Amino acid sequence: MFDKILVANRGEIALRVIRAAREMGIQSVAVHSTADADAMHVRMADESVCIGPPPGAESYLSIPAIIAACEVTGAQAIHPGYGFLSENATFVQIVEDHGLTFIGPTAEHIRIMGDKITAKDTMKELGVPCVPGSDGGVPTLEAAKTLCDDIGYPVIVKATAGGGGRGMKVATSAADIETAFRTARSEAKAAFGNDEVYIEKYLTTPRHIEIQVFGDGKGKAVHLGERDCSLQRRHQKVFEEAPGPAISPEERARIGKTCSDAVARINYTGAGTIEFLYENGEFYFIEMNTRLQVEHPVTEAIFGVDLVREQIRVAEGLPMSFGQDDLAINGHAIEVRINAEKLPEFAPRPGKITQFHAPGGLGVRMDSALYDGYSIPPYYDSLIAKLIVHGQDRASALSRLHRALGELIVDGVDTTVPLFHALLAEDDIHSGNYNIHWLEKWLQTNLQD
Ligand code: ADP
């Protein structure tokens, strides 16, 4: 059993991990940059260590600083949260080389899934359905043209090392392929230092459906159904729900089993998410995230499980506390991501919070590191809160979301809360009739200056 774990992250996700640790009787160590000395995760942890100056690259991404913080405090394990070092295989290797435990999958699994081409090949072999496209990287424009004529337009050119929606370009016809290919490559080079790209058939009206999986690292794995994260802006999720309004129990059971079998076969450890595009009743694998996702609370709400507790358990070598037959869906949950951003351009707005009041009551969960008087530093992600609601069914979850948004007070900075009020007035949101392009189109007509 761990006595003490270090949380290599900040903000709401650091609090999330500290809370799980405390409930398990495990001490927690926060790390922070000089810009975060007054942050909530620092206040809430049992101990804290300053690991560097404000830029992430010099603090939350500094592997030596984080390892040193473990050595100084005697922490035995590291929870990476999401983002930062959570999908960095080299970090995992270094953690293990220092006799510490990484709370997450092995370096090898992270490496496989972090390279999108290898991930796709692996999934294909494991029987997971994939989007039709190139077999591996596409080295030249000529090769791209030949392939696209073959699979048919529209196509999407994607960075092998991609993430966060960067390095992706759509070509609707042969006339666009040259520009799409060249810009995707140069964006990929700039963002990831690797200009390799691959090409997929571009699905025109899919939903984004992702399957939560969990493995014990010893060949046992379960799935916890799907989340529908189709409401996206610039490929970034803003509103997530579980179960997916378009997915039937039979489809869930089928794709869920495909995914849990796949991760069981590779002895996957801990939480993972297998992401699909879903169109006309078919699932197409796009990527696997080898970490806890931002939107994990909607799954926790409907299954009544604590995924972080479970991550810590399996990292300790304990068995999972549930099997597939223990997992049943109860009701419906929705999460909205509240960012410190000014609409309509979604421009980041760090600044001082003059007043903060979190909504509460039945079926409401607020994961946030805000407090009255807190100054949001300008160096990090603009996510300041996740509001999660749980109801008996989708309609009651939506009315609960409306009620909870009405109670929320965040004064001092602009936030994306007005977006959610506006979305709740839309019939398509109530009927669940949306795909991955719905929000972008809606923003163009509804959120103009
Ligand atoms: P990233 O790792 O950068 O987030 P993903 O491969 O997960 O990249 O894709 C992000 C989003 O881009 C998807 O949720 C979807 O909206 C869109 N997308 C990716 N591949 C396709 C495709 N083949 N057809 C249509 N849209 C796609």
Side-chain angles (χ1 to χ4, degrees), residues 219-252:
K220 190 180 157 210
V222 299
H223 72 85
L224 294 97
E226 78 285 359
R227 294 182 284 259
D228 188 325
C229 313
S230 301
L231 289 172
Q232 301 182 354
R233 178 181 170 270
R234 302 205 172 154
H235 303 300
Q236 297 292 313
K237 300 160 191 168
V238 302
F239 173 114
E240 302 106 342
E241 62 182 308
I247 306 300
S248 70
E250 296 71 36
E251 286 177 302
R252 173 176 312 119

mmCIF file of all heavy atoms in Angstrom, residues 219-252:
data_model
loop_
_atom_site.group_PDB
_atom_site.id
_atom_site.type_symbol
_atom_site.label_atom_id
_atom_site.label_comp_id
_atom_site.label_asym_id
_atom_site.label_seq_id
_atom_site.Cartn_x
_atom_site.Cartn_y
_atom_site.Cartn_z
ATOM 1 N N GLY A 219 -4.121 -8.986 -17.635
ATOM 2 C CA GLY A 219 -4.965 -9.687 -18.604
ATOM 3 C C GLY A 219 -6.449 -9.611 -18.324
ATOM 4 O O GLY A 219 -7.250 -10.210 -19.031
ATOM 5 N N LYS A 220 -6.821 -8.864 -17.284
ATOM 6 C CA LYS A 220 -8.256 -8.693 -17.036
ATOM 7 C C LYS A 220 -8.616 -7.248 -17.375
ATOM 8 O O LYS A 220 -7.872 -6.320 -17.034
ATOM 9 C CB LYS A 220 -8.538 -8.983 -15.559
ATOM 10 C CG LYS A 220 -10.007 -9.061 -15.245
ATOM 11 C CD LYS A 220 -10.271 -9.361 -13.762
ATOM 12 C CE LYS A 220 -11.667 -8.869 -13.432
ATOM 13 N NZ LYS A 220 -11.832 -8.434 -12.068
ATOM 14 N N ALA A 221 -9.751 -7.061 -18.033
ATOM 15 C CA ALA A 221 -10.149 -5.692 -18.378
ATOM 16 C C ALA A 221 -11.665 -5.608 -18.502
ATOM 17 O O ALA A 221 -12.336 -6.610 -18.761
ATOM 18 C CB ALA A 221 -9.503 -5.257 -19.689
ATOM 19 N N VAL A 222 -12.179 -4.415 -18.267
ATOM 20 C CA VAL A 222 -13.619 -4.170 -18.412
ATOM 21 C C VAL A 222 -13.804 -2.923 -19.278
ATOM 22 O O VAL A 222 -12.861 -2.161 -19.502
ATOM 23 C CB VAL A 222 -14.312 -3.921 -17.050
ATOM 24 C CG1 VAL A 222 -14.169 -5.124 -16.130
ATOM 25 C CG2 VAL A 222 -13.761 -2.656 -16.370
ATOM 26 N N HIS A 223 -15.042 -2.702 -19.719
ATOM 27 C CA HIS A 223 -15.370 -1.414 -20.332
ATOM 28 C C HIS A 223 -16.442 -0.758 -19.492
ATOM 29 O O HIS A 223 -17.211 -1.447 -18.804
ATOM 30 C CB HIS A 223 -15.839 -1.598 -21.777
ATOM 31 C CG HIS A 223 -17.201 -2.199 -21.899
ATOM 32 N ND1 HIS A 223 -18.354 -1.453 -21.849
ATOM 33 C CD2 HIS A 223 -17.611 -3.485 -22.043
ATOM 34 C CE1 HIS A 223 -19.407 -2.251 -21.968
ATOM 35 N NE2 HIS A 223 -18.980 -3.491 -22.085
ATOM 36 N N LEU A 224 -16.455 0.569 -19.509
ATOM 37 C CA LEU A 224 -17.483 1.313 -18.791
ATOM 38 C C LEU A 224 -18.270 2.159 -19.787
ATOM 39 O O LEU A 224 -18.393 3.380 -19.646
ATOM 40 C CB LEU A 224 -16.866 2.179 -17.680
ATOM 41 C CG LEU A 224 -16.209 1.395 -16.538
ATOM 42 C CD1 LEU A 224 -14.705 1.291 -16.746
ATOM 43 C CD2 LEU A 224 -16.489 2.026 -15.186
ATOM 44 N N GLY A 225 -18.746 1.484 -20.816
ATOM 45 C CA GLY A 225 -19.611 2.142 -21.781
ATOM 46 C C GLY A 225 -18.946 3.289 -22.509
ATOM 47 O O GLY A 225 -17.715 3.384 -22.556
ATOM 48 N N GLU A 226 -19.810 4.132 -23.077
ATOM 49 C CA GLU A 226 -19.304 5.204 -23.939
ATOM 50 C C GLU A 226 -19.602 6.584 -23.353
ATOM 51 O O GLU A 226 -20.444 6.734 -22.482
ATOM 52 C CB GLU A 226 -19.954 5.098 -25.326
ATOM 53 C CG GLU A 226 -21.393 5.618 -25.430
ATOM 54 C CD GLU A 226 -22.433 4.689 -24.807
ATOM 55 O OE1 GLU A 226 -22.078 3.612 -24.292
ATOM 56 O OE2 GLU A 226 -23.621 5.058 -24.824
ATOM 57 N N ARG A 227 -18.891 7.558 -23.916
ATOM 58 C CA ARG A 227 -19.231 8.968 -23.725
ATOM 59 C C ARG A 227 -19.416 9.547 -25.121
ATOM 60 O O ARG A 227 -18.644 9.232 -26.026
ATOM 61 C CB ARG A 227 -18.087 9.710 -23.016
ATOM 62 C CG ARG A 227 -17.834 9.251 -21.589
ATOM 63 C CD ARG A 227 -16.718 10.053 -20.928
ATOM 64 N NE ARG A 227 -15.409 9.643 -21.400
ATOM 65 C CZ ARG A 227 -14.577 8.830 -20.733
ATOM 66 N NH1 ARG A 227 -14.933 8.306 -19.571
ATOM 67 N NH2 ARG A 227 -13.395 8.524 -21.243
ATOM 68 N N ASP A 228 -20.416 10.375 -25.278
ATOM 69 C CA ASP A 228 -20.580 11.093 -26.542
ATOM 70 C C ASP A 228 -19.985 12.476 -26.350
ATOM 71 O O ASP A 228 -20.445 13.239 -25.502
ATOM 72 C CB ASP A 228 -22.072 11.183 -26.910
ATOM 73 C CG ASP A 228 -22.283 11.762 -28.316
ATOM 74 O OD1 ASP A 228 -21.501 12.649 -28.731
ATOM 75 O OD2 ASP A 228 -23.239 11.326 -28.999
ATOM 76 N N CYS A 229 -18.934 12.763 -27.106
ATOM 77 C CA CYS A 229 -18.237 14.059 -26.988
ATOM 78 C C CYS A 229 -18.266 14.758 -28.333
ATOM 79 O O CYS A 229 -17.258 15.307 -28.796
ATOM 80 C CB CYS A 229 -16.792 13.866 -26.539
ATOM 81 S SG CYS A 229 -16.594 12.758 -25.143
ATOM 82 N N SER A 230 -19.405 14.718 -28.993
ATOM 83 C CA SER A 230 -19.484 15.268 -30.345
ATOM 84 C C SER A 230 -19.492 16.787 -30.375
ATOM 85 O O SER A 230 -19.139 17.376 -31.385
ATOM 86 C CB SER A 230 -20.752 14.764 -31.038
ATOM 87 O OG SER A 230 -20.746 13.362 -31.104
ATOM 88 N N LEU A 231 -19.925 17.413 -29.290
ATOM 89 C CA LEU A 231 -19.971 18.877 -29.308
ATOM 90 C C LEU A 231 -18.564 19.413 -29.100
ATOM 91 O O LEU A 231 -18.032 19.409 -27.987
ATOM 92 C CB LEU A 231 -20.945 19.401 -28.250
ATOM 93 C CG LEU A 231 -22.419 19.144 -28.596
ATOM 94 C CD1 LEU A 231 -23.324 19.514 -27.437
ATOM 95 C CD2 LEU A 231 -22.842 19.892 -29.855
ATOM 96 N N GLN A 232 -17.955 19.822 -30.203
ATOM 97 C CA GLN A 232 -16.545 20.235 -30.192
ATOM 98 C C GLN A 232 -16.383 21.560 -30.908
ATOM 99 O O GLN A 232 -17.093 21.853 -31.860
ATOM 100 C CB GLN A 232 -15.673 19.204 -30.926
ATOM 101 C CG GLN A 232 -15.735 17.821 -30.332
ATOM 102 C CD GLN A 232 -14.827 16.836 -31.049
ATOM 103 O OE1 GLN A 232 -14.222 17.164 -32.072
ATOM 104 N NE2 GLN A 232 -14.748 15.625 -30.525
ATOM 105 N N ARG A 233 -15.402 22.328 -30.431
ATOM 106 C CA ARG A 233 -14.982 23.547 -31.131
ATOM 107 C C ARG A 233 -13.505 23.384 -31.442
ATOM 108 O O ARG A 233 -12.717 23.125 -30.541
ATOM 109 C CB ARG A 233 -15.219 24.767 -30.239
ATOM 110 C CG ARG A 233 -14.753 26.033 -30.908
ATOM 111 C CD ARG A 233 -14.952 27.250 -30.017
ATOM 112 N NE ARG A 233 -14.262 28.355 -30.651
ATOM 113 C CZ ARG A 233 -12.993 28.671 -30.426
ATOM 114 N NH1 ARG A 233 -12.267 28.010 -29.549
ATOM 115 N NH2 ARG A 233 -12.430 29.670 -31.082
ATOM 116 N N ARG A 234 -13.155 23.518 -32.694
ATOM 117 C CA ARG A 234 -11.769 23.309 -33.130
ATOM 118 C C ARG A 234 -11.221 21.980 -32.618
ATOM 119 O O ARG A 234 -10.123 21.928 -32.045
ATOM 120 C CB ARG A 234 -10.871 24.449 -32.663
ATOM 121 C CG ARG A 234 -11.366 25.779 -33.191
ATOM 122 C CD ARG A 234 -10.270 26.773 -33.291
ATOM 123 N NE ARG A 234 -10.762 27.945 -33.972
ATOM 124 C CZ ARG A 234 -10.281 29.168 -33.817
ATOM 125 N NH1 ARG A 234 -9.279 29.356 -32.979
ATOM 126 N NH2 ARG A 234 -10.772 30.169 -34.486
ATOM 127 N N HIS A 235 -12.024 20.940 -32.733
ATOM 128 C CA HIS A 235 -11.650 19.584 -32.309
ATOM 129 C C HIS A 235 -11.454 19.474 -30.808
ATOM 130 O O HIS A 235 -10.901 18.494 -30.330
ATOM 131 C CB HIS A 235 -10.395 19.087 -33.047
ATOM 132 C CG HIS A 235 -10.544 19.096 -34.535
ATOM 133 N ND1 HIS A 235 -11.511 18.379 -35.181
ATOM 134 C CD2 HIS A 235 -9.846 19.740 -35.492
ATOM 135 C CE1 HIS A 235 -11.415 18.587 -36.491
ATOM 136 N NE2 HIS A 235 -10.422 19.415 -36.701
ATOM 137 N N GLN A 236 -11.872 20.478 -30.054
ATOM 138 C CA GLN A 236 -11.774 20.403 -28.589
ATOM 139 C C GLN A 236 -13.176 20.184 -28.025
ATOM 140 O O GLN A 236 -14.111 20.887 -28.395
ATOM 141 C CB GLN A 236 -11.219 21.721 -28.018
ATOM 142 C CG GLN A 236 -9.813 22.052 -28.477
ATOM 143 C CD GLN A 236 -8.792 21.091 -27.913
ATOM 144 O OE1 GLN A 236 -8.792 20.788 -26.728
ATOM 145 N NE2 GLN A 236 -7.916 20.596 -28.776
ATOM 146 N N LYS A 237 -13.275 19.228 -27.102
ATOM 147 C CA LYS A 237 -14.585 18.915 -26.538
ATOM 148 C C LYS A 237 -15.055 20.032 -25.599
ATOM 149 O O LYS A 237 -14.239 20.579 -24.855
ATOM 150 C CB LYS A 237 -14.493 17.607 -25.746
ATOM 151 C CG LYS A 237 -14.049 16.445 -26.611
ATOM 152 C CD LYS A 237 -13.490 15.298 -25.791
ATOM 153 C CE LYS A 237 -12.815 14.286 -26.696
ATOM 154 N NZ LYS A 237 -12.016 13.306 -25.952
ATOM 155 N N VAL A 238 -16.348 20.330 -25.631
ATOM 156 C CA VAL A 238 -16.864 21.349 -24.703
ATOM 157 C C VAL A 238 -18.026 20.826 -23.850
ATOM 158 O O VAL A 238 -18.341 21.396 -22.815
ATOM 159 C CB VAL A 238 -17.304 22.647 -25.421
ATOM 160 C CG1 VAL A 238 -16.172 23.260 -26.217
ATOM 161 C CG2 VAL A 238 -18.492 22.439 -26.323
ATOM 162 N N PHE A 239 -18.678 19.773 -24.295
ATOM 163 C CA PHE A 239 -19.886 19.242 -23.633
ATOM 164 C C PHE A 239 -19.844 17.735 -23.860
ATOM 165 O O PHE A 239 -19.709 17.300 -25.002
ATOM 166 C CB PHE A 239 -21.084 19.904 -24.327
ATOM 167 C CG PHE A 239 -22.470 19.426 -23.949
ATOM 168 C CD1 PHE A 239 -23.344 20.294 -23.284
ATOM 169 C CD2 PHE A 239 -22.943 18.164 -24.306
ATOM 170 C CE1 PHE A 239 -24.648 19.902 -22.983
ATOM 171 C CE2 PHE A 239 -24.234 17.771 -23.992
ATOM 172 C CZ PHE A 239 -25.089 18.645 -23.336
ATOM 173 N N GLU A 240 -19.904 16.963 -22.775
ATOM 174 C CA GLU A 240 -19.785 15.515 -22.922
ATOM 175 C C GLU A 240 -20.895 14.840 -22.133
ATOM 176 O O GLU A 240 -21.299 15.347 -21.088
ATOM 177 C CB GLU A 240 -18.436 15.033 -22.370
ATOM 178 C CG GLU A 240 -17.214 15.664 -23.030
ATOM 179 C CD GLU A 240 -16.521 16.694 -22.159
ATOM 180 O OE1 GLU A 240 -17.140 17.203 -21.186
ATOM 181 O OE2 GLU A 240 -15.351 17.006 -22.429
ATOM 182 N N GLU A 241 -21.354 13.713 -22.644
ATOM 183 C CA GLU A 241 -22.417 13.026 -21.913
ATOM 184 C C GLU A 241 -22.272 11.514 -21.987
ATOM 185 O O GLU A 241 -21.624 10.973 -22.886
ATOM 186 C CB GLU A 241 -23.792 13.460 -22.413
ATOM 187 C CG GLU A 241 -24.080 13.148 -23.860
ATOM 188 C CD GLU A 241 -25.462 13.668 -24.268
ATOM 189 O OE1 GLU A 241 -26.453 13.352 -23.565
ATOM 190 O OE2 GLU A 241 -25.555 14.384 -25.282
ATOM 191 N N ALA A 242 -22.882 10.866 -20.995
ATOM 192 C CA ALA A 242 -22.905 9.405 -20.952
ATOM 193 C C ALA A 242 -24.229 8.965 -20.323
ATOM 194 O O ALA A 242 -24.670 9.587 -19.369
ATOM 195 C CB ALA A 242 -21.738 8.870 -20.113
ATOM 196 N N PRO A 243 -24.916 7.968 -20.845
ATOM 197 C CA PRO A 243 -24.556 7.255 -22.068
ATOM 198 C C PRO A 243 -24.795 8.126 -23.307
ATOM 199 O O PRO A 243 -25.416 9.176 -23.221
ATOM 200 C CB PRO A 243 -25.506 6.050 -22.046
ATOM 201 C CG PRO A 243 -26.658 6.466 -21.195
ATOM 202 C CD PRO A 243 -26.134 7.433 -20.201
ATOM 203 N N GLY A 244 -24.313 7.688 -24.458
ATOM 204 C CA GLY A 244 -24.480 8.435 -25.705
ATOM 205 C C GLY A 244 -25.920 8.333 -26.172
ATOM 206 O O GLY A 244 -26.469 7.232 -26.224
ATOM 207 N N PRO A 245 -26.547 9.467 -26.518
ATOM 208 C CA PRO A 245 -27.959 9.415 -26.913
ATOM 209 C C PRO A 245 -28.224 8.593 -28.173
ATOM 210 O O PRO A 245 -29.349 8.152 -28.381
ATOM 211 C CB PRO A 245 -28.337 10.889 -27.135
ATOM 212 C CG PRO A 245 -27.103 11.686 -27.046
ATOM 213 C CD PRO A 245 -26.011 10.833 -26.456
ATOM 214 N N ALA A 246 -27.194 8.343 -28.981
ATOM 215 C CA ALA A 246 -27.433 7.613 -30.232
ATOM 216 C C ALA A 246 -27.043 6.137 -30.145
ATOM 217 O O ALA A 246 -27.147 5.414 -31.128
ATOM 218 C CB ALA A 246 -26.653 8.275 -31.366
ATOM 219 N N ILE A 247 -26.570 5.692 -28.988
ATOM 220 C CA ILE A 247 -26.017 4.330 -28.900
ATOM 221 C C ILE A 247 -27.007 3.397 -28.191
ATOM 222 O O ILE A 247 -27.463 3.691 -27.080
ATOM 223 C CB ILE A 247 -24.671 4.355 -28.135
ATOM 224 C CG1 ILE A 247 -23.698 5.365 -28.769
ATOM 225 C CG2 ILE A 247 -24.041 2.954 -28.064
ATOM 226 C CD1 ILE A 247 -23.331 5.105 -30.219
ATOM 227 N N SER A 248 -27.297 2.277 -28.823
ATOM 228 C CA SER A 248 -28.237 1.319 -28.224
ATOM 229 C C SER A 248 -27.483 0.405 -27.258
ATOM 230 O O SER A 248 -26.253 0.257 -27.356
ATOM 231 C CB SER A 248 -28.887 0.477 -29.329
ATOM 232 O OG SER A 248 -27.911 -0.387 -29.883
ATOM 233 N N PRO A 249 -28.212 -0.231 -26.347
ATOM 234 C CA PRO A 249 -27.551 -1.159 -25.417
ATOM 235 C C PRO A 249 -26.787 -2.273 -26.153
ATOM 236 O O PRO A 249 -25.701 -2.671 -25.723
ATOM 237 C CB PRO A 249 -28.717 -1.750 -24.611
ATOM 238 C CG PRO A 249 -29.791 -0.717 -24.682
ATOM 239 C CD PRO A 249 -29.640 -0.059 -26.034
ATOM 240 N N GLU A 250 -27.322 -2.732 -27.288
ATOM 241 C CA GLU A 250 -26.651 -3.806 -28.046
ATOM 242 C C GLU A 250 -25.332 -3.296 -28.641
ATOM 243 O O GLU A 250 -24.318 -3.981 -28.599
ATOM 244 C CB GLU A 250 -27.545 -4.319 -29.188
ATOM 245 C CG GLU A 250 -28.838 -4.994 -28.737
ATOM 246 C CD GLU A 250 -29.879 -4.034 -28.157
ATOM 247 O OE1 GLU A 250 -29.987 -2.890 -28.645
ATOM 248 O OE2 GLU A 250 -30.577 -4.426 -27.193
ATOM 249 N N GLU A 251 -25.383 -2.081 -29.200
ATOM 250 C CA GLU A 251 -24.152 -1.509 -29.771
ATOM 251 C C GLU A 251 -23.108 -1.300 -28.684
ATOM 252 O O GLU A 251 -21.923 -1.550 -28.878
ATOM 253 C CB GLU A 251 -24.456 -0.154 -30.429
ATOM 254 C CG GLU A 251 -25.189 -0.260 -31.740
ATOM 255 C CD GLU A 251 -25.519 1.123 -32.285
ATOM 256 O OE1 GLU A 251 -26.205 1.900 -31.600
ATOM 257 O OE2 GLU A 251 -25.088 1.424 -33.396
ATOM 258 N N ARG A 252 -23.573 -0.811 -27.529
ATOM 259 C CA ARG A 252 -22.654 -0.574 -26.401
ATOM 260 C C ARG A 252 -21.991 -1.885 -25.980
ATOM 261 O O ARG A 252 -20.776 -1.949 -25.794
ATOM 262 C CB ARG A 252 -23.426 0.012 -25.216
ATOM 263 C CG ARG A 252 -22.613 0.138 -23.922
ATOM 264 C CD ARG A 252 -23.433 0.817 -22.834
ATOM 265 N NE ARG A 252 -24.035 2.006 -23.390
ATOM 266 C CZ ARG A 252 -25.353 2.222 -23.479
ATOM 267 N NH1 ARG A 252 -26.206 1.351 -22.994
ATOM 268 N NH2 ARG A 252 -25.806 3.316 -24.042
#
